[in-house]
């Protein structure tokens, strides 16, 4: 408590001295701006002593106010300073030159002699230790200017593509993407047909996670699940839970016939949506849980490599 009280008293005393210095500086403004006055230096020295004790923002604000006032007074003092230097007057200088070259003679204007420039030249030449260079009064000798002929350059104006040309790359890219997706969907469908060949006129179901999981590639597993979703949406493949509540997939048979139309032309009879979340850790757990060692869906990318 004693330390807190001591700090508060020190800050109060410091603010009082700053206010006093600020008041004195404003009161002696006319004296401090005189060129011969040294009062601003004394004020700055006292400010430096007080600033060494500043610890709080309140005291720092007082210090900045005094410093601002001192800088303004210093500017006024600099403006009032007179150097007593001789100012060059070109009119007086020209009159002295005319007098030196005997240009101020009494009489009429016609009787006045011309200015003796050679007299001024001789006097000025003694001030230089270098040889004067030759310079023509009226500029260089007259020469015929050679007209430069510049070959006209043709601008390479780029032809702006038409709206049809602008859309063409986008259409090709979209068509290629659709063709690639269709091929991948057909590849997954062939894998299901291969694994579920009709046994005595029936199709058996395949565990969903065992079918889509590729034990060597997590991205391929995601792609298989994505492409399989198109088959489920188009009604070609049926996704449901078996007796053990395990998701399975099966070739969808409607009215005794297998649905084999192209993607997007049919829809499931009773459509529903299911969101499946699959992370890398879940993918690893599926491999261990179902003891998956080989992918049921052949990986074309791996085959190309």
């Amino acid at each position: 408590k004693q330390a807190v009280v001591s700090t508060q008293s020190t800050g109060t005393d410091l603010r009082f001295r700053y206010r006093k210095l600020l008041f004195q500086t404003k009161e002696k403004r006319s004296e401090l701006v005189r060129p011969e006055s040294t009062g601003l230096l004394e004020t700055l020295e006292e400010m430096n002593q007080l600033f060494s004790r500043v610890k709080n923002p309140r005291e720092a604000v007082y210090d900045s106010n005094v410093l601002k006032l001192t800088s303004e007074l210093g500017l006024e003092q600099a403006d009032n300073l007179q150097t007593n230097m001789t100012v060059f007057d070109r009119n007086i200088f020209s009159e002295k030159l005319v007098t030196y070259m005997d240009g101020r003679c009494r009489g009429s204007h016609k009787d006045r002699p011309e200015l003796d420039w050679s007299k001024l030249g001789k006097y000025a030449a003694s001030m230089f230790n270098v040889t004067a260079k030759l310079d023509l009064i009226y500029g260089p000798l007259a020469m015929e200017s050679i007209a430069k002929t510049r070959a006209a350059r043709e601008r390479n104006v780029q032809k702006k593509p038409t709206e049809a040309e602008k859309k063409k790359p986008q259409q090709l890219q979209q068509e290629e993407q659709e063709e690639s997706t269709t091929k991948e969907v057909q590849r997954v469908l062939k894998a299901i047909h291969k694994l579920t060949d009709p046994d005595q006129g029936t199709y058996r179901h395949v565990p969903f996670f065992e079918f889509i999981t590729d034990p060597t590639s997590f991205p391929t597993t995601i792609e298989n699940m994505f492409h399989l979703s198109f088959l489920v949406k188009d009604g070609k493949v049926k996704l449901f839970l078996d007796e053990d509540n395990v998701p399975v997939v099966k070739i969808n048979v409607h009215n005794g016939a297998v649905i084999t139309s192209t993607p997007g032309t049919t829809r499931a009879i009773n459509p529903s949506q299911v969101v499946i979340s699959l992370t890398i850790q879940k993918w690893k757990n599926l491999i261990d849980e179902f003891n998956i060692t080989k992918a049921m869906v052949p990986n074309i990318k791996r085959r190309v490599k």
Side-chain angles (χ1 to χ4, degrees):
K1 292 182 178 179
Q2 292 179 357
V4 173
V5 173
S6 177
T7 304
Q8 292 179 353
S9 61
T10 303
T12 303
D13 179 65
L14 192 60
R15 290 192 295 272
F16 172 75
R17 295 187 62 180
Y18 266 120
R19 286 194 296 267
K20 182 179 179 181
L21 181 61
L22 183 63
F23 177 76
Q24 292 177 353
T25 305
K26 291 181 179 179
E27 190 177 13
K28 299 179 180 179
R29 186 186 188 100
S30 58
E31 298 179 2
L32 296 176
V33 295
R34 294 179 180 178
E36 66 277 3
S37 176
T38 59
L40 291 178
L41 295 177
E42 298 175 358
T43 304
L44 290 175
E45 292 177 357
E46 186 175 355
M47 286 177 58
N48 292 332
Q49 295 177 359
L50 296 176
F51 186 73
S52 60
R53 298 166 52 190
V54 172
K55 297 181 179 179
N56 299 320
R58 295 180 62 184
E59 289 78 19
V61 171
Y62 280 102
D63 183 80
S64 63
N65 292 333
V66 180
L67 182 61
K68 179 181 179 182
L69 178 60
T70 306
S71 61
E72 293 176 356
L73 297 179
L75 180 62
E76 292 185 17
Q77 188 180 29
D79 293 337
N80 296 332
L81 182 63
Q82 297 180 0
T83 56
N84 296 325
M85 296 179 62
T86 304
V87 180
F88 176 77
D89 191 344
R90 57 184 179 180
N91 295 326
I92 298 177
F93 179 72
S94 60
E95 292 178 359
K96 290 183 178 181
L97 286 179
V98 172
T99 303
Y100 182 78
M101 291 184 289
D102 302 331
R104 295 186 178 277
C105 299
R106 295 181 179 180
S108 62
H109 181 70
K110 297 180 180 180
D111 297 336
R112 293 180 183 178
E114 296 182 357
L115 298 177
D116 190 0
W117 289 98
S118 60
K119 183 178 180 181
L120 178 62
K122 292 179 181 179
Y123 180 78
S126 62
M127 305 296 176
F128 299 91
N129 295 325
V130 294
T131 304
K133 64 179 181 178
L134 179 63
D135 192 9
L136 301 176
I137 298 178
Y138 295 103
L141 298 176
M143 297 179 62
E144 295 181 359
S145 59
I146 301 175
K148 295 183 180 180
T149 58
R150 295 184 179 180
R153 294 188 301 176
E154 297 181 358
R155 290 187 177 182
N156 296 328
V157 180
Q158 296 181 355
K159 184 179 179 181
K160 295 184 179 180
T162 60
E163 295 296 331
E165 294 176 348
K166 290 181 180 179
K167 294 181 180 179
K168 194 172 182 180
Q170 298 178 358
Q171 292 175 353
L172 291 175
Q173 185 177 3
Q174 184 176 2
E175 292 176 359
E176 291 177 358
Q177 186 175 2
E178 291 178 356
E179 291 179 1
S180 176
T181 304
T182 304
K183 291 180 181 179
E184 293 295 327
V185 172
Q186 292 297 330
R187 179 175 61 86
V188 175
L189 182 59
K190 289 180 182 179
I192 299 179
H193 276 284
K194 185 177 180 181
L195 294 172
T196 60
D197 284 334
D199 184 11
Q200 297 179 358
T202 60
Y203 287 90
R204 62 185 179 88
H205 56 264
V206 181
F208 171 74
F209 289 110
E210 293 185 32
F211 178 73
I212 65 169
T213 302
D214 188 339
T216 60
S217 175
F218 174 73
T220 304
T221 303
I222 299 298
E223 291 178 358
N224 292 338
M225 183 168 58
F226 172 71
H227 296 139
L228 182 62
S229 66
F230 285 96
L231 298 175
V232 175
K233 181 187 68 172
D234 295 335
K236 295 181 181 181
V237 175
K238 186 178 180 181
L239 176 62
F240 60 96
L241 298 177
D242 61 1
E243 297 176 355
D244 299 328
N245 289 329
V246 177
V248 294
V249 292
K250 181 182 179 181
I251 296 295
N252 195 9
V253 179
H254 183 59
N255 294 330
V258 179
I259 300 177
T260 59
S261 58
T262 56
T265 57
T266 60
R267 291 291 182 270
I269 299 173
N270 297 317
S272 61
Q273 294 182 355
V274 179
V275 179
I276 300 176
S277 175
L278 184 62
T279 61
I280 295 180
Q281 185 61 41
K282 290 181 181 180
W283 170 69
K284 293 180 180 179
N285 295 338
L286 290 174
I287 297 174
D288 297 336
E289 182 71 22
F290 292 96
N291 194 18
I292 302 173
T293 58
K294 184 179 180 181
M296 292 186 179
V297 181
N299 192 340
I300 297 180
K301 297 179 181 179
R302 190 184 303 114
R303 189 184 303 173
V304 173
K305 293 181 180 178

